[in-house]
Amino acid sequence: MDKILVINGPNLNLLGEREPGVYGGEGIDVLTRNITERAEGLGLECEFFQSNHEGAIIDKLHEARTYCGGVILNAGAYTHYSYAIRDAISAIKIPVIEVHISNVDAREEFRANSVIAPVCRGSISGFGFGSYYLAVAALAEILGK
Ligand code: DQA
């Protein structure tokens, strides 16, 4: 079974508790379960990684290139300024899909700029947890599932 990796960046461990009006009332455990179900339905095995640390996310992206068909990445606020994460995405050949729970274009001005978008295969933003489910479908399509 093809393996995909879902990386959640800073503060996403607090989903359900953190600004529920923006990110919803469900926790990362519910998100993980729902993604797993959808991925398995499409013939994809799913691994999850969450970190609040830029270097740990970079290390995981490097590792993913050795055993994953693709990555779904919610880089949280790093999206808007981490050239190091951008370079890590550029350095690996597997497709990386950028996701955001909220519509980053409809919020503060700084959120409308993604420094990782140009090096990702595509970006999905604004569909709540549905952004991840759409990304799973996109990866399944890319991987010929
Ligand atoms: C986010 C949007 C980012 O701007 C923010 O810093 C996050 C979450 C989202 O999923 O909507 O932490 O990536």
Side-chain angles (χ1 to χ4, degrees):
M1 199 187 272
D2 285 83
K3 191 154 193 169
I4 62 169
L5 173 67
V6 178
I7 300 179
N8 278 302
N11 302 305
L12 292 161
N13 53 311
L14 295 184
L15 281 175
E17 232 182 286
R18 171 196 186 200
E19 300 181 77
V22 178
Y23 301 112
E26 305 275 27
I28 197 166
D29 49 332
V30 172
L31 175 64
T32 299
R33 200 177 329 122
N34 291 349
I35 294 172
T36 302
E37 273 173 23
R38 281 162 172 84
E40 283 177 1
L42 291 164
L44 295 169
E45 190 187 333
C46 213
E47 182 187 320
F48 295 87
F49 179 76
Q50 191 279 325
S51 178
N52 296 319
H53 305 279
E54 189 178 27
I57 293 168
I58 292 166
D59 287 344
K60 197 68 194 176
L61 283 165
H62 291 177
E63 237 179 75
R65 85 188 197 288
T66 65
Y67 68 92
C68 283
V71 175
I72 294 170
L73 172 64
N74 186 344
Y78 285 137
T79 302
H80 313 300
Y81 66 91
S82 176
Y83 297 115
I85 291 178
R86 175 190 166 121
D87 282 351
I89 298 166
S90 291
I92 62 176
K93 291 188 179 72
I94 56 173
V96 177
I97 300 189
E98 173 189 15
V99 299
H100 299 286
I101 297 166
S102 63
N103 180 352
V104 285
D105 291 309
R107 300 180 62 194
E108 299 95 326
E109 211 176 313
F110 76 89
R111 291 187 207 274
N113 183 46
S114 167
V115 300
I116 67 169
V119 294
C120 286
R121 182 65 71 93
S123 304
I124 302 169
S125 162
F127 298 98
F129 285 2
S131 296
Y132 294 83
Y133 313 151
L134 290 166
V136 169
L139 269 188
E141 187 69 28
I142 291 167
L143 298 173
K145 291 286 171 178

